[in-house]
Amino acid sequence: MTTERRWLMAGAVLLCTPVFSAFAAPGTAAPAPTGQTASPSPAKIDSSKAHPHHKTVQERLVETEKALALAGNDKDARKLADQAETLRNRSLTGAVRMLLTDSQDALGKHDFQSAEDDLTSAITLQADQPILRRYRAAIRSAAGDNNGAISDLGVVIQADPGDTTAWGMLADAERDRHEPDAALRAYKQMMLLDPHAPDADKELKILQKEKDGQED
């Protein structure tokens, strides 16, 4: 992979992320009509209805990833992929989002070290968010540090095995290390998780050809 392609890939990974989108604040409940109390008597509350189970972000992410693997067409697949990305970024704090903005600015100046340092700081603040390691992997790959990128991607995939972008990035990094067999395995896994990934069949043929060529 050329330096320019690495930079473009890293930029795409950061620019396409929804981390900079503001989430709407919950609406304010309307006041109770005059003459009525704001809430019913505790004795009349059905506890099963008062405390319904709300799915966690992780549960919603897993459901979305499963739906992506079973998507019937390109349009639905891309919509589900976008939803999954939004969920992966949902729990990032304001401080971490600011660091991501700083990293993006540094990347725009081709300052890979500063961009990586910002991501490392973000990981320190929220080590339980695997998406941050994927972002750092993109920066490391852009800087030519494929080993570092693969190390980060390994952590991402262990925590979020349905992250199709991470599998695709792993395939690229392994290809850059001249490991066509590992690249092909990673790409096939990506296709299992997202059968409608853009240009997937074309890329698969290229990787298969490279693997077959190495075996000759």
Side-chain angles (χ1 to χ4, degrees):
M1 186 186 294
T2 65
T3 300
E4 183 64 19
R5 183 185 169 195
R6 289 194 187 99
W7 179 80
L8 289 173
M9 184 187 75
V13 169
L14 289 180
L15 288 171
C16 292
T17 178
V19 296
F20 306 108
S21 300
F23 296 105
T28 303
T34 304
Q36 296 183 14
T37 58
S39 61
S41 169
K44 297 181 180 180
I45 294 178
D46 184 338
S47 60
S48 64
K49 295 180 180 180
H51 301 288
H53 172 68
H54 293 289
K55 294 179 181 178
T56 65
V57 172
Q58 182 60 29
E59 289 173 335
R60 292 169 61 191
L61 175 58
V62 171
E63 287 186 356
T64 303
E65 290 173 342
K66 290 180 178 179
L68 174 59
L70 299 173
N73 56 64
D74 294 347
K75 182 178 179 181
D76 288 347
R78 301 284 55 80
K79 181 178 179 181
L80 288 165
D82 289 344
Q83 289 175 0
E85 281 298 277
T86 298
L87 289 169
R88 291 187 184 102
N89 289 282
R90 179 62 60 88
S91 300
L92 299 184
T93 66
V96 164
R97 290 169 189 266
M98 289 181 65
L99 285 167
L100 290 177
T101 300
D102 291 343
S103 181
Q104 184 179 357
D105 291 343
L107 183 63
K109 301 173 184 176
H110 291 208
D111 185 353
F112 296 115
Q113 188 59 58
S114 293
E116 180 178 339
D117 289 345
D118 288 329
L119 260 300
T120 299
S121 296
I123 291 169
T124 300
L125 291 177
Q126 283 193 284
D128 62 335
Q129 299 298 311
I131 188 69
L132 296 176
R133 286 187 177 271
R134 197 185 81 190
Y135 293 151
R136 188 172 69 177
I139 300 299
R140 286 178 166 179
S141 181
D145 180 10
N146 290 309
N147 291 334
I150 289 172
S151 177
D152 272 340
L153 292 169
V155 176
V156 176
I157 290 168
Q158 183 174 8
D160 182 8
D163 188 336
T164 57
T165 299
W167 283 106
M169 289 172 60
L170 179 59
D172 276 341
E174 293 288 13
R175 185 182 184 185
D176 283 349
R177 290 205 308 176
H178 305 290
E179 297 288 349
D181 189 56
L184 184 61
R185 286 198 304 270
Y187 202 79
K188 284 182 176 180
Q189 182 62 29
M190 186 276 290
M191 291 184 67
L192 285 175
L193 297 168
D194 184 3
H196 295 280
D199 299 321
D201 290 336
K202 179 181 178 181
E203 186 66 20
L204 181 64
K205 290 179 180 178
I206 293 173
L207 291 172
Q208 185 67 59
K209 184 176 181 180
E210 292 178 354
K211 178 180 179 294
D212 293 343
Q214 187 186 60
E215 292 177 349
D216 292 341

